[in-house]
Amino acid sequence: MIITLLILLFALLIFVFQHPRYGKRPSGERLEFIQKSPQYKNGKFENVNFTPELAEGYGYFNVISEFLFKKVDRKIPTDDIPTIKTNLLDLAIDQDVLVWFGHSSYYIQLEGKRFLIDPVFSGNASPVYGTTKAFKGTDIYIADDFPEIDYLLITHDHYDHLDYKTIMELKPKIKKVICALGVGSHLEFWKFPKDSIIEKDWHEKIELDQNLTLYTTPSRHFSGRSTKRCNTLWTSFVLEARDFKMYLGGDSGYDTHYAEIGNTFGPFDLALIDNGQYNPAWKYIHNLPEDVIKAMKDLKAKRVFPVHSSKFSLALHPWDEPLKKVTELNAASENPIPLVTPKIGELVDLRNEKQEFQQWWKGVR
């Protein structure tokens, strides 16, 4: 009986992990190209500085035990998250705006081009559907709500940033995809035309048109959609118009790259920085709130949008703690920087530095 159950379990695992959502590892010419990258060492991609999986003083057994069994008050909100549904199809193309969809998904219109970053609209942020569900009320957008997308930007291939179901539903509307080395292997496996994928290493420049330039810049993180880690690269982006500059951070722990990017490209009119789903045990791969304060200063940001929160619970903190803490720490810091904290779906005017936002999370249980 036990042998039969083990065989059935093994067969189920094989079936589950054959699903195309898991993507495909880089191979062939792509792998040969990847192996020439300065970031590729010892058979995998590495960060600028040494980045342990766990911080000093933490062990895997304790971390996993806490994650599985520790009770955290208000880890998932009981109320619906308040939202505003902006009609993206009615936006005039000459409006320079941003719309956030929760976590690290957002839409940008700038200089007549439409960008979509790390979209996840399937209600799920894990390799197994139904195990990491979106908070109630957060999934208010579907593929039909979007106009044609000039550039889909993917910061890395984790499931809370690269979602198979969402990408496949949006696919007919996507003209070009820009991603880091190796991530194109998933997209080609999902039948994206090879000439629609722009796959880059760090420190590369992509001239989108005469008014817009995109740069790939480092972040401090890791990658992987299966047991194989770091076989694709993770990245942040700098999006530069003639008179406006944005930092699109992706996931990252604090490190020297923030100051290097700030010195090279700053000041930034708006910086989107990873703030949420953190833990002292993995501070090297996700900013703690105090790290966000340091990063925004390093980047020389005029306004900061803290993201990576308010949609999925991936860490052991109350759902609203990231926004509460970063707001309090920023207010108490020397020379506070204006924070952009819209509701999901709320229209952010990129050119209006005086636009004000509510602390919408207050009173949400």
Side-chain angles (χ1 to χ4, degrees), residues 158-175:
H158 283 155
Y159 292 91
D160 58 325
H161 293 258
L162 178 61
D163 180 63
Y164 170 75
K165 187 173 186 292
T166 302
I167 295 299
M168 295 307 291
E169 290 174 352
L170 287 166
K171 186 178 175 183
K173 300 190 175 193
I174 296 167
K175 296 180 181 178

Side-chain angles (χ1 to χ4, degrees), residues 4-169:
T4 302
L5 288 174
L6 288 173
I7 292 171
L8 288 172
L9 178 61
F10 183 68
L12 178 62
L13 288 172
I14 290 174
F15 173 76
V16 167
F17 284 95
Q18 281 181 335
H19 193 284
R21 79 169 71 104
Y22 301 106
K24 186 177 181 181
R25 295 178 183 178
S27 60
E29 291 182 3
R30 176 176 276 108
L31 180 58
E32 290 176 10
F33 186 77
I34 282 172
Q35 291 168 340
K36 297 175 183 176
S37 166
Q39 280 56 254
Y40 195 86
K41 304 167 187 174
N42 305 311
K44 62 180 182 177
F45 284 107
E46 295 186 357
N47 287 293
V48 173
N49 293 310
F50 174 65
T51 302
E53 292 183 358
L54 294 178
E56 298 79 6
Y58 292 90
Y60 286 103
F61 178 79
N62 290 337
V63 168
I64 293 170
S65 296
E66 280 201 348
F67 195 82
L68 291 175
F69 303 114
K70 185 177 180 180
K71 300 296 183 184
V72 178
D73 186 39
R74 301 178 65 252
K75 185 168 176 276
I76 296 173
T78 56
D79 292 342
D80 281 16
I81 297 294
T83 61
I84 298 171
K85 189 163 184 180
T86 296
N87 189 333
L88 305 177
L89 299 173
D90 283 352
L91 291 176
I93 193 59
D94 60 353
Q95 287 183 265
D96 292 340
V97 295
L98 181 150
V99 177
W100 177 58
F101 308 114
H103 204 63
S104 295
S105 304
Y106 49 96
Y107 170 86
I108 295 170
Q109 282 188 184
L110 185 62
E111 293 287 347
K113 297 294 183 185
R114 298 183 177 100
F115 300 83
L116 185 58
I117 294 83
D118 290 356
V120 179
F121 307 137
S122 68
N124 185 81
S126 84
V128 180
Y129 286 138
T131 57
T132 306
K133 296 180 181 179
F135 298 158
K136 290 189 297 182
T138 59
D139 264 329
I140 60 171
Y141 283 88
I142 60 174
D144 288 346
D145 295 322
F146 287 83
E148 282 195 335
I149 302 299
D150 294 295
Y151 298 100
L152 171 68
L153 307 185
I154 301 297
T155 62
H156 63 294
D157 69 0
H158 283 155
Y159 292 91
D160 58 325
H161 293 258
L162 178 61
D163 180 63
Y164 170 75
K165 187 173 186 292
T166 302
I167 295 299
M168 295 307 291
E169 290 174 352

Side-chain angles (χ1 to χ4, degrees), residues 293 297 325-337:
I293 304 303
K297 310 285 186 183
K325 279 197 169 183
V326 77
T327 301
E328 292 166 359
L329 289 169
N330 181 55
S333 69
E334 187 176 353
N335 301 318
I337 295 171

Side-chain angles (χ1 to χ4, degrees), residues 196-208:
S196 72
I197 303 168
I198 302 171
E199 200 171 355
K200 295 293 184 181
D201 203 342
W202 291 343
H203 310 297
E204 295 207 59
K205 178 181 179 180
I206 309 162
E207 293 185 359
L208 305 178

Side-chain angles (χ1 to χ4, degrees), residues 143-324:
D144 288 346
D145 295 322
F146 287 83
E148 282 195 335
I149 302 299
D150 294 295
Y151 298 100
L152 171 68
L153 307 185
I154 301 297
T155 62
H156 63 294
D157 69 0
H158 283 155
Y159 292 91
D160 58 325
H161 293 258
L162 178 61
D163 180 63
Y164 170 75
K165 187 173 186 292
T166 302
I167 295 299
M168 295 307 291
E169 290 174 352
L170 287 166
K171 186 178 175 183
K173 300 190 175 193
I174 296 167
K175 296 180 181 178
K176 295 282 186 182
V177 185
I178 302 177
C179 58
L181 290 180
V183 179
S185 182
H186 304 308
L187 297 162
E188 278 194 49
F189 182 56
W190 297 338
K191 307 302 182 187
F192 275 76
K194 191 170 184 178
D195 61 2
S196 72
I197 303 168
I198 302 171
E199 200 171 355
K200 295 293 184 181
D201 203 342
W202 291 343
H203 310 297
E204 295 207 59
K205 178 181 179 180
I206 309 162
E207 293 185 359
L208 305 178
D209 64 20
Q210 61 183 0
N211 299 321
L212 282 170
T213 305
L214 189 74
Y215 300 88
T216 51
T217 45
S219 63
R220 191 183 198 186
H221 200 52
F222 70 105
S223 68
R225 292 177 74 83
S226 67
T227 54
K228 178 73 171 177
R229 282 189 166 197
C230 300
N231 60 346
T232 62
L233 186 60
W234 47 98
T235 193
S236 57
F237 296 101
V238 171
L239 179 58
E240 184 177 44
R242 291 170 296 178
D243 57 352
F244 194 85
K245 199 177 294 182
M246 301 179 69
Y247 172 74
L248 315 179
D251 282 2
S252 184
Y254 184 78
D255 205 359
T256 56
H257 65 285
Y258 286 121
E260 291 166 1
I261 292 167
N263 291 334
T264 302
F265 297 102
F268 288 98
D269 296 283
L270 179 63
L272 291 96
I273 304 176
D274 171 25
N275 173 59
Q277 319 322 310
Y278 50 72
N279 188 303
W282 58 79
K283 67 178 182 178
Y284 292 115
I285 55 172
H286 280 296
N287 294 316
L288 301 174
E290 52 267 34
D291 295 328
V292 177
I293 304 303
K294 293 187 291 184
M296 64 173 71
K297 310 285 186 183
D298 289 351
L299 288 165
K300 304 175 184 178
K302 297 177 186 177
R303 288 196 297 168
V304 169
F305 189 161
V307 295
H308 209 247
S309 71
S310 308
K311 188 167 184 175
F312 300 110
S313 178
L314 302 171
L316 300 176
H317 56 63
W319 76 268
D320 55 353
E321 183 184 281
L323 287 169
K324 281 184 176 179

